[in-house]
Amino acid sequence: MLDFLKIALPLALLVSMPTKLAQAAETPSSDVRVVIDVSGSMKKNDPKNLRAPALRMLVGLMPDDANSGVWTFAKMVNMLVPWQKVDDDWRQKAIEKSSKIHSLGLYTNIELALEKATKTGIKNDPKQRQSLILLSDGFVDLQPGQKASEASRQRILNAIVPRLKAANLAVHTIALSDNADHELLKAISMETDGWYQQANTADDLQRIFLHMFEKATQPDTVPLADNQFKIDSSVNEMTVLAFRKAGSAETQLKTPDGRTLTELDQSDKLRWLHEDSFDLITIENPATGEWRIDAQLDPDNRVMVVTDMKLETSDLPNNVLKGEKFDFHATLTDHGKHITRNDFLELVDGSLKQHSELEEKQLSMTLDPQKSQFNAKLGEEFTAGRQDVIVTLKSATFERQRRQSINVIAAPYYVDSERLPGDSRSHRIQVQVEPTLIKPDSLSIKALLREENGSEWPYEMQKTDTNNWQLTLTELTKDADYELSLQLRGETPEGRPVFLQAEPITLKDELALEPAAELFDEELAPILEPITGEDAADVDIMPLDDDLMLSEDNEESGISISDNTKLLIGNAIILALLIAGVIWWRRQNAATAAVGDML
């Protein structure tokens, strides 16, 4: 059977009418749940236990109006910090509990972790922004063995993820290993419109946690240029995050009146969390005027504010298709009410910046005096990959900034093209889409075939399965090249209309090559690695707060034997048989010698 030639179309051009993004009349409260893997493999992937300072940074940034909780998991699940309203007591307890993050667990029960972390308080409420941050470095691994682990993995995808999606909870996943189940973590985040990211090393965790926090809470910030920023009289509290490299000088803050603040100046109104790689400084009722961070410049440095004057913006989806267009809006509020005074708004300058790894583009925002909002159109300049959208509104007296990160996907579909065997030239084309990005039920596909002489023939591709469209072209001219263009029209799972137009596919009069013969007809049995003393001593220890310890609700009664235990028992039986054989052989030799002596 001929192999299909799979053609991914990364250069697809997508055209659509601008999507109107939802913009709440008031900022929704945040619900942020953090779930951290503490299995034994973390000893290798996070040898310095950098999960702990990353959690402390996240906790220090968490706003007062949020609900939050922290869970750790391996075989069991432990509620490290109870889920509740965030306040100073909660932060202090969470910082203290962060020291109990370990790497001693055996097995990786992601299913149970997701169940326990989302058991209460989850609801589809537009006034609530719900997020879960999941950090893991491995695959689902349960004690009963591979079959049970695979069943658990399927339950995550088929039961838990749909429930979280229906509740409008975004799961942001972090893979802290090349050996993690990237396919599973990506699927969880994509299905729930969350964010997936791989941490190349544990050193990346703090910055990734920062970006996840910003996605989960969308905090108010003020612009930071060359480590300088401006605070106005409406700011009630500010939090400065300054990253530091190893061996760099201690971070200092310069106040508007020229004073220098250091970690030694902590008081009831100044909290200073100092870690090896960052400083987190929170000041109540900060002085108005120009401030400066006396530290290294870093693109991830932030100044977040609690203020009566807030910047409200449209919420962009976490995952969008390349070429989607959005009507983007920004407004200012004072004590929760939109500012509608045009004489004030006309003095405000609105700008929007699109930042990617390759380039940075500046867009202007125009004021609509009828709606008292600043508008811009987004999407035309998006390139595949991560895009940071940074909105800034400022005047002579204040500055506000908000940023969102999105994942731009180039082509959410695949095309298979096959030249069929036979004297008469025929080609079969099949199309599949990524159902997490385009609803198959909404899709229609048109095709246009062009011959070298300019002749054209339109076709409608036929749906042959839940997610498969097919077109068979017959009686084509031998040795001639054809171009086939595809147009896909449908909508995303969220209901956004999309119209995709692919780069033309060239159809050549060439049969696909037969696959090369396999070198071995039989599959070789895997070689089992011996169990070392270190591995045998690895136990699932969760010695954290017995009153908060969570156990599996549906744990089966009786004794379950793991695969390793079965292997040990089998080896012991074989060894016993060998010893018995040696003893029998020696006795036989002894008996023979005795008979010879008597002759």
Side-chain angles (χ1 to χ4, degrees):
M1 182 177 179
L2 293 176
D3 280 349
F4 282 115
L5 173 63
K6 177 164 283 190
I7 307 172
L9 300 173
L11 300 177
L13 172 65
L14 182 150
V15 183
S16 69
M17 294 297 292
T19 298
K20 292 185 177 180
L21 297 169
Q23 184 173 0
E26 59 182 272
T27 303
S29 61
S30 298
D31 182 340
V32 186
R33 302 166 191 234
V34 185
V35 181
I36 299 175
D37 191 337
V38 292
S39 58
S41 56
M42 283 292 183
K43 287 183 291 188
K44 175 182 177 181
N45 295 315
D46 185 16
K48 298 179 182 178
N49 200 14
L50 296 179
R51 289 161 292 165
L55 176 62
R56 289 193 287 271
M57 182 196 70
L58 188 69
V59 165
L61 292 172
M62 202 69 68
D64 281 340
D65 62 349
N67 286 293
S68 189
V70 183
W71 291 259
T72 57
F73 74 97
K75 174 185 176 182
M76 311 288 283
V77 181
N78 181 62
M79 185 185 287
L80 186 67
V81 186
W83 177 79
Q84 64 183 54
K85 200 80 169 176
V86 172
D87 55 22
D88 288 341
D89 290 339
W90 182 91
R91 291 191 191 91
Q92 185 59 38
K93 185 175 183 179
I95 289 173
E96 293 171 358
K97 291 287 188 179
S98 67
S99 63
K100 294 189 176 182
I101 293 176
H102 59 84
S103 303
L104 301 174
L106 191 63
Y107 305 108
T108 308
N109 197 337
I110 298 176
E111 178 190 8
L112 187 63
L114 292 174
E115 284 181 350
K116 296 297 183 182
T118 61
K119 191 172 183 178
T120 59
I122 298 298
K123 57 182 178 180
N124 192 340
D125 185 353
K127 295 182 179 180
Q128 187 167 286
R129 183 184 289 115
Q130 301 175 126
S131 304
L132 185 148
I133 300 173
L134 170 64
L135 167 64
S136 181
D137 71 339
F139 282 72
V140 174
D141 180 21
L142 304 187
Q143 185 176 7
Q146 182 177 354
K147 188 174 181 180
S149 300
E150 181 58 32
S152 175
R153 187 181 189 275
Q154 288 304 120
R155 287 193 297 271
I156 292 173
L157 295 173
N158 298 335
I160 293 180
V161 168
R163 175 173 66 85
L164 300 181
K165 182 178 181 179
N168 199 27
L169 183 145
V171 182
H172 308 298
T173 56
I174 306 171
L176 183 56
S177 167
D178 288 334
N179 298 322
D181 191 344
H182 299 278
E183 182 180 345
L184 174 64
L185 296 178
K186 287 179 181 178
I188 293 173
S189 63
M190 289 292 291
E191 285 283 355
T192 59
D193 194 32
W195 186 271
Y196 161 83
Q197 191 161 350
Q198 179 178 347
N200 295 322
T201 68
D203 295 329
D204 299 331
L205 279 181
Q206 291 157 12
R207 296 173 189 269
I208 293 176
F209 265 45
L210 168 64
H211 300 153
M212 297 291 188
F213 165 79
E214 290 180 320
K215 298 192 73 63
T217 63
Q218 295 193 12
D220 286 291
T221 65
V222 296
L224 186 61
D226 296 328
N227 274 355
Q228 298 184 55
F229 59 96
K230 182 189 295 184
I231 294 296
D232 60 82
S233 59
S234 69
V235 174
N236 304 316
E237 181 180 278
M238 74 176 189
T239 298
V240 176
L241 174 62
F243 284 95
R244 295 189 304 107
K245 293 183 179 179
S248 61
E250 297 296 322
T251 300
Q252 298 179 343
L253 271 182
K254 301 293 185 180
T255 67
D257 60 5
R259 291 186 300 121
T260 299
L261 300 179
T262 69
E263 184 185 1
L264 300 177
D265 294 310
Q266 293 193 65
S267 65
D268 292 340
K269 294 190 175 183
L270 191 156
R271 301 190 302 272
W272 195 301
L273 176 63
H274 174 75
E275 299 283 351
D276 291 340
S277 55
F278 69 86
D279 287 276
L280 190 65
I281 309 145
T282 300
I283 301 177
E284 295 181 14
N285 299 316
T288 60
E290 295 281 349
W291 288 72
R292 188 175 85 249
I293 306 172
D294 191 358
Q296 291 179 323
L297 297 177
D298 193 290
D300 285 326
N301 286 350
R302 297 284 191 272
V303 179
M304 303 179 187
V305 294
V306 177
T307 175
D308 297 327
M309 182 182 291
K310 294 180 175 293
L311 170 60
E312 306 283 354
T313 66
S314 304
D315 283 342
L316 289 167
N318 285 317
N319 301 283
V320 304
L321 304 181
K322 184 178 182 295
E324 275 194 272
K325 298 180 179 65
F326 301 95
D327 288 328
F328 191 84
H329 313 296
T331 59
L332 288 169
T333 64
D334 186 15
H335 292 84
K337 296 182 179 180
H338 284 157
I339 297 176
T340 58
R341 288 172 42 209
N342 285 331
D343 58 338
F344 172 82
L345 295 175
E346 287 172 355
L347 300 176
V348 177
D349 178 47
S351 64
L352 188 149
K353 183 167 61 177
Q354 291 181 195
H355 176 79
S356 68
E357 293 183 358
L358 300 177
E359 59 183 349
E360 184 173 285
K361 295 185 178 180
Q362 196 81 23
L363 303 177
S364 61
M365 302 191 75
T366 58
L367 174 64
D368 181 350
Q370 301 297 323
K371 297 182 179 180
S372 302
Q373 67 183 22
F374 292 83
N375 300 327
K377 292 189 181 297
L378 286 178
E380 290 186 2
E381 305 295 333
F382 283 161
T383 56
R386 173 177 169 171
Q387 297 275 324
D388 293 326
V389 177
I390 305 169
V391 182
T392 304
L393 296 185
K394 64 180 180 179
S395 71
T397 58
F398 78 95
E399 296 181 355
R400 293 291 181 273
Q401 190 173 81
R402 178 169 284 191
R403 63 180 62 218
Q404 298 183 52
S405 297
I406 59 174
N407 178 36
V408 181
I409 301 163
Y413 55 89
Y414 301 95
V415 176
D416 292 328
S417 174
E418 179 190 21
R419 161 62 159 94
L420 300 177
D423 294 335
S424 176
R425 181 183 174 187
S426 300
H427 288 256
R428 180 182 296 136
I429 296 89
Q430 298 189 85
V431 176
Q432 291 183 339
V433 298
E434 174 52 57
T436 61
L437 298 171
I438 298 179
K439 289 197 300 186
D441 291 343
S442 71
L443 189 64
S444 64
I445 305 177
K446 295 184 181 296
L448 183 66
L449 183 68
R450 294 185 182 89
E451 197 175 2
E452 292 175 319
N453 61 13
S455 300
E456 296 182 347
W457 295 271
Y459 298 92
E460 182 88 22
M461 295 195 71
Q462 300 301 311
K463 189 174 184 180
T464 60
D465 203 347
T466 304
N467 185 15
N468 193 80
W469 286 258
Q470 182 173 296
L471 172 65
T472 301
L473 302 171
T474 61
E475 298 182 357
L476 300 183
T477 304
K478 289 188 176 182
D479 299 324
D481 288 348
Y482 290 83
E483 281 191 350
L484 184 70
S485 299
L486 299 178
Q487 294 180 344
L488 295 81
R489 189 183 300 274
E491 60 182 37
T492 68
E494 295 76 26
R496 304 192 306 269
V498 292
F499 176 70
L500 297 93
Q501 186 166 303
E503 291 287 332
I505 305 167
T506 300
L507 302 179
K508 293 183 175 294
D509 193 5
E510 297 174 353
L511 287 172
L513 297 176
E514 292 289 346
E518 296 292 334
L519 294 178
F520 301 99
D521 293 330
E522 296 181 2
E523 184 178 355
L524 297 178
I527 300 175
L528 297 176
E529 293 289 339
I531 299 176
T532 64
E534 180 181 356
D535 293 334
D538 201 7
V539 295
D540 187 50
I541 301 174
M542 301 292 286
L544 307 178
D545 301 331
D546 292 338
D547 58 324
L548 295 176
M549 184 70 73
L550 301 175
S551 61
E552 299 185 44
D553 295 333
N554 300 320
E555 186 169 350
E556 296 181 0
S557 60
I559 299 174
S560 61
I561 302 176
S562 69
D563 292 341
N564 286 341
T565 304
K566 293 176 182 177
L567 180 61
L568 288 173
I569 293 173
N571 289 339
I573 293 172
I574 294 171
L575 182 60
L577 291 174
L578 288 174
I579 293 172
V582 171
I583 293 173
W584 177 84
W585 177 77
R586 287 182 174 179
R587 287 180 177 176
Q588 287 294 105
N589 285 346
T592 303
V595 172
D597 290 341
M598 289 187 296
L599 291 177

